[in-house]
Amino acid sequence: EIELLCETVSAIRSIRQETGVPLNQNISILIQTDQHSQNLYQQIEAMIFSLAKVSSLKFIHADVEEPRALAKTAHAVITIPLQGLIDIQKELHRQKKKLQKTDQDIQLLHGQLKNKKFVESAPTELVLEKKQLLKNCLEQKKLIERALKKLG
């Protein structure tokens, strides 16, 4: 439960920092997760409210159509509806820049992993790490694309 609490609060704070939503402003969050994790979230809900300045928490099972920011954790996708909280155009611009950087990272990692010399001579742990980084970047790209679609 503590690990779930820490990663959730951290994700919410990261969204706040990235989007410019003030830390002292109460927000609503939406969580998309499985039933087991939902039960765990319900047990730590009061702590999330307190530590992350959350005024309401809802569990969802499908995408929401309004502009929002997303963060993926090990157990869920956390969504903060942005309407009325931030400048949507500014967030669109930020997400586009984030997508460009992620695309660059993906190209770099693809290049390294396609290089037979690198794969053969690098330590196995490093190659596995690069593969995991590529997987994470591809997941991040999907999230950014979803966020851009929702923003406009």
Side-chain angles (χ1 to χ4, degrees):
E1 290 177 15
I2 296 297
E3 183 181 321
L4 182 64
L5 176 65
C6 289
E7 79 175 6
T8 302
V9 170
S10 178
I12 293 168
R13 288 180 178 170
S14 292
I15 292 172
R16 284 178 176 276
Q17 184 178 19
E18 290 173 2
T19 58
V21 175
L23 291 174
N24 63 353
Q25 184 174 359
N26 279 331
I27 57 169
S28 298
I29 64 169
L30 307 171
I31 299 178
Q32 191 172 6
T33 191
D34 60 44
Q35 188 61 48
H36 174 71
S37 294
Q38 183 174 333
N39 292 339
L40 291 174
Y41 274 110
Q42 287 169 333
Q43 292 174 23
I44 61 171
E45 189 172 342
M47 290 182 279
I48 293 171
F49 278 39
S50 172
L51 295 171
K53 292 292 274 185
V54 171
S55 58
S56 74
L57 182 155
K58 284 191 214 171
F59 295 98
I60 58 172
H61 302 288
D63 278 346
V64 181
E65 292 303 316
E66 62 191 89
R68 65 216 168 108
L70 302 169
K72 184 167 180 14
T73 67
H75 303 282
V77 174
I78 298 171
T79 302
I80 297 177
L82 296 173
Q83 200 64 44
L85 291 177
I86 63 158
D87 180 339
I88 301 297
Q89 292 305 315
K90 198 173 178 181
E91 178 62 10
L92 263 171
H93 178 71
R94 190 187 70 77
Q95 289 290 347
K96 286 178 183 176
K97 279 180 66 174
K98 197 171 165 184
L99 181 61
Q100 285 178 333
K101 178 168 180 354
T102 302
D103 280 337
Q104 289 171 351
D105 291 346
I106 288 170
Q107 287 177 349
L108 177 71
L109 290 165
H110 267 303
Q112 288 177 330
L113 292 170
K114 283 184 180 179
N115 181 341
K116 285 185 181 181
K117 206 173 198 181
F118 170 77
V119 174
E120 290 170 0
S121 63
T124 306
E125 303 86 40
L126 182 61
V127 174
L128 291 174
E129 182 182 319
K130 296 290 182 181
K131 286 180 179 180
Q132 185 61 45
L133 277 172
L134 178 59
K135 182 181 173 192
N136 293 347
C137 284
L138 291 169
E139 287 177 11
Q140 183 68 23
K141 180 177 179 174
K142 286 180 187 175
L143 276 177
I144 295 168
E145 288 172 339
R146 274 175 53 190
L148 281 169
K149 187 177 177 184
K150 298 303 173 194
L151 287 169

